[in-house]
Amino acid sequence: MGTPARTGAPVTLTIDGFEITVPEGTSVMRAAAEAGLQIPKLCASDNLEAYGSCRLCVVEIEGRRGTPASCTTPVAEGMAVRTQTPRVKKIRKGVMELYISDHPLDCLTCAANGDCELQDMAGAVGLRDMRYEPGQNHYDPFGIGTLAQGDARARSTGDLGNPDYIPKDDSNPYFTYDPSKCIVCSRCVRACEEVQGTFALTIEGRGFDSRVSAGAALDDFMSSDCVSCGACVQACPTATLQEKSVTELGTPDRSVITTCAYCGVGCSFKAE
Ligand code: FES
């Protein structure tokens, strides 16, 4: 996996019938974007290496079997790509159903409401309803935490809580980490490595048990190698990593990308 390297020689292909010429090594997703065609995506981000994990960006390519991820597939001369076939639309919808089935349905009270890529992508693929029961992965539908944490309420209501629930990490003074909203796209992990070069984050566990961790299993952000640069927060597509100022004051009116030697992530302003 990884972003194909753009090496320069021009390559001409068609995407949804549009003829496009881009440098060799360009990904199909980037070629489509340069032609003004947006392919749904979650784990890809303009300033990070492609990862190919969410499978939302799948396309069909004439003469090839399967549905490759457009973010990790380099263009080729004469390639004919289709981004909106019934087959890829069905796959994307299925992928989004799985993501949403394991995500808290609290959009109306979520700090990222209106600024959430998961929400945007659910709309982009036309998801209206879900065939699956809401999941229980790191998720606390009753708001009572683990049985131990919610013991009093559990005794009075009979709700047993979710033993897999991991409480929100509030240890960092600038941002919170809420595992229940994480889609494990690894954008935060890659931003920590590629933007900041800190390697403070990792993904531990497999399948439903996988989650982003700040170092050793029980480390919180403040006791990890995190330097509070904010690259992970900028990269997060949901409210998993959320600036405390946004929770308290609302979404910033303006953001700038800086060349500041300290972090290079950029600063946000909330106008009075
Ligand atoms: Fe391509 Fe996630 S955006 S696999």
Side-chain angles (χ1 to χ4, degrees):
M1 285 187 282
T3 306
R6 291 177 23 127
T7 52
V11 171
T12 300
L13 70 158
T14 62
I15 303 182
D16 292 342
F18 294 100
E19 191 171 285
I20 299 163
T21 300
V22 290
E24 189 179 9
T26 304
S27 70
V28 168
M29 173 181 279
R30 183 159 176 184
E34 289 184 7
L37 302 167
Q38 297 304 326
I39 299 175
K41 60 179 181 176
L42 273 174
C43 68
S45 168
D46 289 346
N47 62 342
L48 298 174
E49 287 286 317
Y51 193 57
S53 69
C54 76
R55 313 314 289 178
L56 205 59
C57 70
V58 291
V59 293
E60 287 195 87
I61 299 175
E62 217 174 275
R64 289 199 195 177
R65 295 174 60 133
T67 50
S70 61
C71 63
T72 52
T73 303
V75 295
E77 186 65 35
M79 184 184 253
V81 181
R82 292 276 167 199
T83 72
Q84 299 297 332
T85 63
R87 187 177 177 202
V88 296
K89 284 183 176 177
K90 189 175 175 188
I91 292 172
R92 289 177 193 148
K93 215 167 177 174
V95 166
M96 282 308 299
E97 270 185 279
L98 290 168
Y99 275 124
I100 298 294
S101 71
D102 194 34
H103 195 84
L105 299 175
D106 62 351
C107 294
L108 291 179
T109 54
C110 178
N113 190 20
D115 186 27
C116 171
E117 292 179 42
L118 190 68
Q119 199 177 44
D120 293 345
M121 288 304 121
V125 304
L127 190 66
R128 295 285 174 272
D129 45 49
M130 206 165 56
R131 288 169 294 172
Y132 311 114
E133 290 295 314
Q136 297 282 316
N137 182 38
H138 309 157
Y139 170 37
D140 185 24
F142 303 112
I144 60 176
T146 61
L147 181 57
Q149 290 172 315
D151 200 29
R153 177 170 168 180
R155 273 198 303 273
S156 64
T157 63
D159 293 337
L160 295 181
N162 177 5
D164 293 330
Y165 172 66
I166 301 168
K168 192 189 274 191
D169 180 350
D170 201 30
S171 62
N172 189 287
Y174 306 111
F175 61 85
T176 52
Y177 167 56
D178 183 352
S180 73
K181 298 196 171 182
C182 182
I183 59 171
V184 201
C185 63
S186 106
R187 277 165 57 169
C188 56
V189 176
R190 287 176 284 143
C192 188
E193 294 174 9
E194 296 171 25
V195 177
Q196 185 63 21
T198 300
F199 299 89
L201 302 178
T202 187
I203 293 177
E204 63 181 37
R206 295 181 69 83
F208 274 117
D209 291 330
S210 59
R211 71 178 191 103
V212 170
S213 162
L218 296 176
D219 269 5
D220 58 28
F221 270 84
M222 273 319 275
S223 48
S224 74
D225 290 337
C226 172
V227 294
S228 302
C229 73
C232 57
V233 181
Q234 291 275 345
C236 181
T238 68
T240 307
L241 287 156
Q242 183 67 60
E243 278 183 70
K244 289 183 175 175
S245 63
V246 170
T247 310
E248 288 158 14
L249 302 172
T251 310
D253 299 317
R254 192 157 65 90
S255 293
V256 293
I257 303 299
T258 66
T259 53
C260 162
Y262 177 63
C263 78
V265 172
C267 297
S268 301
F269 300 96
K270 179 72 184 168
E272 291 299 320

